[in-house]
Amino acid sequence: SMGTKESLGRGSVQFMTAGTGVRHSEHNMSEDKPLRFIQTWITPSRNNLPPNYGSSVGDEAMRWNQWQHLVSSVDSRDTKATVQINQDCNVYSSELELGTTLTIPISEGRMAYMIALEGSVKVGNIVLDRHDAVEITPSSTEGKGELEVTSVAVEKAEHGKEVAHVLLFEMKHVHGAGRGDL
């Protein structure tokens, strides 16, 4: 254990590099509120990294009807998100009002994975309802290099707003990997 304790709210990101070894646990300290989070394991680009822990508090305004860049690679020269990891991976989040459309750029050689956390969104010809996910490959864009995501149903979130909340992981495309949904 690194001795770290904290409580994180909606839209926050916690990251950890287990590296050469750590002990970790999560607890719901509230007696009356449910604990909700998405736990994702991203394999680092290198082995034997030193243990590392950090977090970033969510910013509702930064993800309202736009992509908030939450995570980027420590090696990225183009962009630096608040949270940086040892992998060629970007993570974005957005909370969309009903009918709002955003573009997902999928550059040549890249792919993405999207999960609908709340509400429903249409991605290409597929509708994702709450907790549905889809893999997006370069062929998904039909040569355009981008896809549109549109909120088609919203639900009341714990902050009181009606939203379709999505999380997008964008990474290097590995031929033959993944599910091939879209």
Side-chain angles (χ1 to χ4, degrees):
S1 171
M2 297 174 74
T4 305
K5 291 182 179 181
E6 69 180 326
S7 293
L8 298 171
R10 180 178 180 85
S12 296
V13 175
Q14 179 184 63
F15 68 93
M16 176 178 56
T17 300
T20 54
V22 296
R23 198 171 342 168
H24 175 74
S25 63
E26 286 117 8
H27 302 280
N28 184 0
M29 303 310 271
S30 174
E31 294 184 19
D32 62 344
K33 293 181 182 176
L35 173 66
R36 293 185 339 132
F37 64 91
I38 300 292
Q39 187 171 47
T40 304
W41 295 80
I42 299 173
T43 304
S45 57
R46 300 180 283 286
N47 291 328
N48 299 315
L49 293 164
N52 187 20
Y53 171 87
S55 62
S56 174
V57 176
D59 184 340
E60 182 182 333
M62 292 294 294
R63 67 180 176 271
W64 188 250
N65 291 323
Q66 62 186 343
W67 292 116
Q68 181 184 14
H69 196 179
L70 301 172
V71 177
S72 66
S73 170
V74 296
D75 297 327
S76 176
R77 293 186 185 140
D78 299 330
T79 183
K80 295 289 184 191
T82 306
V83 173
Q84 296 176 22
I85 61 172
N86 289 285
Q87 186 51 271
D88 180 10
C89 180
N90 293 287
V91 181
Y92 302 87
S93 178
S94 185
E95 291 187 17
L96 304 169
E97 292 176 281
L98 184 62
T100 300
T101 298
L102 295 179
T103 300
I104 306 168
I106 305 294
S107 302
E108 189 62 36
R110 307 295 288 174
M111 63 185 289
Y113 184 80
M114 178 183 282
I115 181 169
L117 303 174
E118 295 164 323
S120 300
V121 294
K122 184 175 181 184
V123 183
N125 295 321
I126 295 177
V127 173
L128 302 179
D129 294 320
R130 182 181 213 198
H131 300 159
D132 287 344
V134 65
E135 179 186 79
I136 304 164
T137 62
S139 62
S140 306
T141 68
E142 300 175 348
K144 296 179 219 165
E146 62 183 37
L147 276 177
E148 289 186 342
V149 55
T150 302
S151 61
V152 294
V154 293
E155 60 183 88
K156 191 171 187 173
E158 64 262 22
H159 57 35
K161 293 184 178 179
E162 299 272 333
V163 299
H165 189 182
V166 294
L167 192 60
L168 177 73
F169 296 82
E170 184 268 345
M171 66 209 79
K172 180 180 176 184
H173 181 230
V174 177
H175 293 283
R179 304 168 5 167
D181 296 329
L182 183 62

